[in-house]
Amino acid sequence: MPFFSMFVWGTRRTSLLIATLMIALIALIDAHVAAQIPLGFLYLAPMLVVGASFGRWEIGLVAAICAWLAEAFDEFPWGPNTGLPRDLLYLAAFLCMGLFMHEVTRSRKLSVRHMRQLESEMTARKDAEEQLKVLVASSPAAILTTSSDGCILLANEAANRLFGLEPATLPGRSIRTYLPSLINVPALDGTRLAAMVLDTSEDLRTHEESSFHQMLASSRIMMSAVSHEVRNVCGAIALVHESLARSGKLKDNKDFESLGTLVLALERIAAMDLRQTASHAGGVEVQSLLDELRIVIESGLRDNGVTSHWEMDSDLPPVWADRQSLMQVFLNLTKNSERAMEHQERKELTVSASRQGPGVAIRFRDTGGGVAHPERLFHPFQVEAQSTGLGLYLSRAFMRSFKGDLHYEPEDGGSTFVVELSPVVRENNNDSYEPGNPDIAGRRPWPVPREPEPASTDRV
């Protein structure tokens, strides 16, 4: 076996040299030393060397040479009846020996290659298992596996913490005690079931708090609008009451005096301080928020035949805003544009964000045909509105609650609503800039406060 290994793993040049020397030595011995003894069978040895390193055609050539040498140096007379069969037997023997060694060598190489591949796969599998163990052990999610009868086979430390147990106490217990719903889940991988359990209570609590804050802010602004309208009505009633009181016709009428008292009480109720606060405002990345907006609205726009274009500068600074309220403003503006373009032949919505002074301006431009009554934009409780008529009113109130603004820019064949956002407070050498207030150098802050722009009843 060591001899075979030597020429099996040798190079082709080395094998050729060894085979040539062996053939020459055998031919020399057969010709001069053992003239009375045929030594042609010894050529089987060099055929082993040739078969281990060369291809089939090369093996056939060497076998023919060895058969010729064996016939040339033996003492048997050659004739068609005896010599030709003998030569064919020589050739067949040498060729079969070479081909046999060729197949043995090829099979051994394939086996070695396969073994190396198996070793490589085993090493990779072992590394993957180690990584998986580290991942499972360090995962904040509870990961566990169970048998077909619901017995827990493996559980990480997060699973023990989730169920309030001591470390390494879950294995061996029934999953029915902790997660009964998993009993009815079929095991897709034979008799084992793997489950990952996440505690989403914190996310749910955050989402509910955000929704509650949004609802309170909207309710506060809506009540402020109602109070404003009530104060207007009370003012008109008070003027009429004062005029009637000066005439003296109802001077001693108790019901008339009670009416004045009721009007004053109603005015006091309507004068309650319901101003919006921005306690949840903070730094917001405009690009990420617009990316979220795109994900939310793009499929709906596409279903309604609206083509959307998004243009954003790459160096937009963080802005001061309440993220949820700002998203609500964006959704309200896009829904207004979508309704305005419902019956238009050309439906295009362009959302662009760019720097404007130290802050950011976001424009929502549509091809909805413009605003019919711009003088009533941003006024609450518009009579011709599809619902309450508070959409744009609430949107502007939200914007101004965190030092921003919302205004309207008319365009040919469409409309543009501009959302202006102030930058986050900056500090530099004890100097600060706060949105909506003059800075220490006396420069005018951005954005400049605006009066309500002309309004429309078809965009509310």
Side-chain angles (χ1 to χ4, degrees), residues 7 33 85 104 109 113 115 125 139 168-169 171-172 192 199 247 280 291 322 348-349 394-396 399 426 450 455:
F7 57 75
V33 177
V104 169
K109 289 181 179 179
R113 187 181 301 115
M115 289 298 298
R125 187 180 297 110
S139 173
T169 56
R192 299 290 186 268
D199 183 7
S247 67
H280 288 73
D291 288 340
D322 178 4
E348 292 185 5
L349 174 64
L394 289 174
S395 296
R396 172 174 276 188
M399 293 304 305
R426 301 190 302 269
R450 298 175 179 269

Side-chain angles (χ1 to χ4, degrees), residues 167-183:
T169 56
L170 267 178
R173 300 190 180 188
S174 174
I175 193 65
R176 187 187 300 275
T177 307
Y178 306 99
L179 296 171
S181 59
L182 290 183
I183 295 296

